Amino acid sequence: MAIQILENVALAPMTTMRVGGDARFFARVGGIEELSEAVLWAQRKGLPIFILGGGANTLVSQDGFVGLVIKIEMKGISYDGNRVTVEAGEWWDDVVCDIVAHDLWGVENLSLIPGTVGGAVVQNIGAYGAEICNTIFSVEALDIEKMQIKTFLQAKCEFGYRESIFKKNKNLVVLRVTLELKNDGVPNTEYEDVKKYFENKNIEAPSLQEIREAIVAIRTAKMPAPPLGTAGSFFKNPVVDMTTYETLKKEFPEIKAYMQGDNTVKLSAAWLIDHVGGWRGYRKGDAGVHEKQALILVNYGNASAEEMLSLAHEIKNNIKEKTNVTLEEEVVML
Ligand code: EPU
């Protein structure tokens, strides 16, 4: 066998959250053949499979994983006009940096998001008024049940808020993505923090590079990069109907919310956790809530997975009790 299957490998150092136990079996794959080999090996043994990218959005339990963890390490980036094809194992922000250097618009607002390209697609990453799905042309994935490579055009990827067909269907492993970018894009500076940044600098029509610099500055002002001890936003921003929103608005007039155009409203989970729950800056042992961003739970050093999860539960229960809104985890639990 060409690939190496390792045993009892610590997963905590492979995630940004830095908690959790071991993978019973573990393999790194740098190409489709190695990936297929690893999958077939696990299938023959009847073991469950978990696909790991950059570990930037994963919380590993204290018990670890009883099956085979496959770490995606396919690399490569190639340009064809305004289309760029990137392998799933590339680090997302290296790709953004490269695309901006090629003078192509579309992903600059997604600068500095930790994780790999595969994870970015599965999760449909979004920030500062942009989502990766808006630049995706197609995604190539391996269906590990049928052992077939499939190409999904953007419209077939079932993208939603932090949602995709690749997240719903665990048999699909993202191999590579083709992004369609713009040669002469328009700056996307509507997001509050971005608008303020350019107003303060008196810049009316920022360049592509200036937007990347702005996003990097805004993100690093909130937290260091890479954000060790966190998995980014721990919860999703909950989407509620208009009536629920109006009721909440009476009790919490300052509530932060974004109209969705389909009679639903996306509430700021950070605002609820911060202003309704009063959790921002809270700390119990090494598990805490970020001082500058209440949606980010932090392992300050030696917190266990249980401690992080118990903090998350406490927050969820508290917000449910006070608002009747259920927060849903954004991080993937392993
Ligand atoms: N706010 C508070 N208290 C806080 C933090 C924020 O009241 O502690 C309020 C502020 O009024 C702020 C608003 O909440 O204007 C929104 O905060 P922020 O701009 O930080 O964005 P977010 O909704 O909390 C989302 C994404 C982030 C993404 C940012 C920036 C989700 C779950 N999170 O966070 O994505 O970087 O917008 O666009 O949608 C991630 O998914 O892991 C992630 C980091």
Side-chain angles (χ1 to χ4, degrees), residues 50-103:
F50 182 80
I51 302 293
L52 183 67
N57 202 47
T58 306
L59 195 158
V60 180
S61 74
Q62 221 52 39
D63 295 339
F65 186 64
V66 292
L68 172 67
V69 171
I70 301 178
K71 185 147 166 43
I72 299 294
E73 297 194 336
M74 289 82 103
K75 296 282 159 63
I77 173 163
S78 64
Y79 289 81
D80 179 9
N82 63 339
R83 283 197 191 153
V84 52
T85 298
V86 193
E87 301 296 308
E90 285 284 348
W91 188 250
W92 170 251
D93 191 54
D94 291 346
V95 175
V96 176
C97 184
D98 200 69
I99 289 173
V100 169
H102 277 76
D103 253 329

Side-chain angles (χ1 to χ4, degrees), residues 20-42:
D22 294 357
R24 179 68 189 88
F25 299 101
F26 178 87
R28 299 175 184 277
V29 298
I32 170 80
E33 295 78 16
E34 288 181 2
L35 172 62
S36 307
E37 217 180 301
V39 167
L40 291 170
W41 183 87

Side-chain angles (χ1 to χ4, degrees), residues 188-221:
N188 176 358
T189 55
E190 284 311 299
Y191 202 86
E192 200 179 325
D193 291 353
V194 185
K195 204 186 257 178
K196 265 194 217 146
Y197 176 95
F198 286 116
E199 273 167 13
N200 289 341
K201 291 208 174 259
N202 259 323
I203 298 175
E204 264 183 39
S207 67
L208 183 54
Q209 189 59 44
E210 279 172 329
I211 295 177
R212 174 163 166 84
E213 281 162 21
I215 303 293
V216 168
I218 292 164
R219 290 189 76 101
T220 40

Side-chain angles (χ1 to χ4, degrees), residues 56-57 113 123 125-129 161-162 191-193 219 222-223 231-237 256 258 266-272 274-275 280 290-296 330:
N57 202 47
I113 295 181
Q123 179 72 353
I125 55 166
Y128 306 103
Y161 171 52
R162 299 293 188 278
Y191 202 86
E192 200 179 325
D193 291 353
R219 290 189 76 101
K222 277 191 191 149
M223 61 178 140
S233 300
F234 198 92
F235 301 103
K236 289 188 201 177
N237 285 326
K256 192 106 195 165
Y258 316 92
K266 194 187 265 177
L267 304 176
S268 161
W271 192 91
L272 294 174
D274 183 0
H275 298 275
R280 184 157 57 83
H290 201 283
E291 313 174 313
K292 293 185 188 157
Q293 228 298 357
L295 200 47
I296 298 175
E330 203 235 66

Side-chain angles (χ1 to χ4, degrees), residues 111-272:
S111 288
L112 219 61
I113 295 181
T116 55
V117 166
V121 173
V122 172
Q123 179 72 353
N124 186 18
I125 55 166
Y128 306 103
E131 273 184 327
I132 192 175
C133 66
N134 298 327
T135 56
I136 286 178
F137 176 74
S138 65
V139 177
E140 216 175 273
L142 178 69
D143 182 331
I144 61 170
E145 199 184 37
K146 304 200 173 79
M147 274 306 185
Q148 251 172 31
I149 295 178
K150 294 181 175 166
T151 301
F152 296 79
L153 291 176
Q154 201 265 10
K156 298 279 182 199
C157 296
E158 297 177 21
F159 285 122
Y161 171 52
R162 299 293 188 278
E163 204 42 91
S164 73
I165 194 171
F166 314 104
K167 192 168 177 183
K168 286 178 246 174
N169 182 349
K170 299 284 176 251
N171 288 325
L172 296 173
V173 180
V174 174
L175 299 171
R176 62 177 64 90
V177 57
T178 298
L179 303 172
E180 191 165 71
L181 302 146
K182 288 201 164 73
N183 292 310
D184 37 20
V186 180
N188 176 358
T189 55
E190 284 311 299
Y191 202 86
E192 200 179 325
D193 291 353
V194 185
K195 204 186 257 178
K196 265 194 217 146
Y197 176 95
F198 286 116
E199 273 167 13
N200 289 341
K201 291 208 174 259
N202 259 323
I203 298 175
E204 264 183 39
S207 67
L208 183 54
Q209 189 59 44
E210 279 172 329
I211 295 177
R212 174 163 166 84
E213 281 162 21
I215 303 293
V216 168
I218 292 164
R219 290 189 76 101
T220 40
K222 277 191 191 149
M223 61 178 140
L228 279 191
T230 88
S233 300
F234 198 92
F235 301 103
K236 289 188 201 177
N237 285 326
V239 178
V240 299
D241 60 43
M242 199 55 92
T243 321
T244 307
Y245 166 67
E246 274 155 11
T247 312
L248 282 167
K249 176 99 178 145
K250 278 188 199 127
E251 195 179 347
F252 308 104
E254 304 290 313
I255 193 167
K256 192 106 195 165
Y258 316 92
M259 303 299 141
Q260 298 299 288
D262 58 354
N263 222 26
T264 64
V265 185
K266 194 187 265 177
L267 304 176
S268 161
W271 192 91
L272 294 174

